[in-house]
Amino acid sequence: MNPTLRAHPVHRRSGVLAPLITVAALAMLPVGLGACSGDETTAPTTVAEQRLDRRRAEVMAQVLLRNHEATGARFQLAARSFDSEGTISLSGVVNWSDLHGRVLVSGVSDDLGEVTEMAWTSQLIGEYRPGLEAVLQGIGHQPGTYLIRPVDQSRRLDQLVGIVTGLASTTADNPQLILQNPGAAYLRSDTLRDRSVDVVRYSERSIFWIDTETGMMLRFEGSDSSGRFPVVVDIIEWQSDPVELPPVAEVPEALRR
């Protein structure tokens, strides 16, 4: 499937779409979690965690700004599902400059069927459901059309989009405030995808794996306050290309519940 993108929905009715929540979703973030599928890490190479020092706090303060300056990235995400013991996986690209993204999805389904792809802009979320392909083509939509819907932060997918888009900032953090965060700590040295990293905890529920040579974030770990719904985001490669968005349509009235 090779859909051509639009940054706005077709057949959009006034008031249907809510703005995409990004950084606000970070309130739901990390605790330590397992690696995404296919990751290669070594056993920890240092002793027990230490209080975060000023030098590492200064590096951490730049992490989200560095992501924004890189424009975008190819990433993989693994997260616990809300409604089962299963795992939701996202694999694709995000552009932090325009808040666009597009991913392959696994582990998500509802009354309308399985979601296998997802795309978003600052104004909408679109889902590709292969089980509805024939229905949509039958009412005149082109192949590969994504169904759009309002953002709903009670949905796990929407929260995960917010986490990914929230991993960038137009400004640096304040190192002194990081040092004052409860739980801020240097956890250990490690190796991730053949890169030496410092594993540092930003707060009680946020952990960053930071490349010791470049200062770039290679992995983010997060969880909600209960610790039951961990999230791991691996930054595989930075890139500045715009995200190609698909054709979109609203859910047909015949399929509305």
Side-chain angles (χ1 to χ4, degrees), residues 117-140:
E117 300 181 28
M118 183 182 185
W120 65 87
T121 72
S122 61
Q123 296 297 316
L124 63 90
I125 285 180
E127 299 166 331
Y128 178 69
R129 299 171 180 267
L132 297 180
E133 179 72 18
V135 174
L136 292 176
Q137 289 192 47
I139 58 176

Side-chain angles (χ1 to χ4, degrees), residues 176-244:
Q176 187 59 39
L177 294 181
I178 293 175
L179 290 170
Q180 296 171 6
N181 283 343
Y186 165 66
L187 301 183
R188 65 182 186 275
S189 296
D190 212 324
T191 302
L192 178 63
R193 297 188 295 275
D194 297 323
R195 301 293 299 182
S196 296
V197 295
D198 280 343
V199 183
V200 288
R201 189 168 59 220
Y202 175 83
S203 65
E204 293 176 343
R205 302 199 306 273
S206 301
I207 296 174
F208 295 91
W209 297 51
I210 302 175
D211 189 311
T212 57
E213 181 179 343
T214 65
M216 300 292 286
M217 181 187 72
L218 300 186
R219 173 178 290 171
F220 168 80
E221 300 181 8
S223 180
D224 67 327
S225 58
S226 74
R228 295 171 50 218
F229 301 104
V231 178
V232 175
V233 182
D234 275 291
I235 304 300
I236 307 302
E237 179 184 19
W238 289 270
Q239 58 184 52
S240 57
D241 297 337
V243 176
E244 181 184 4

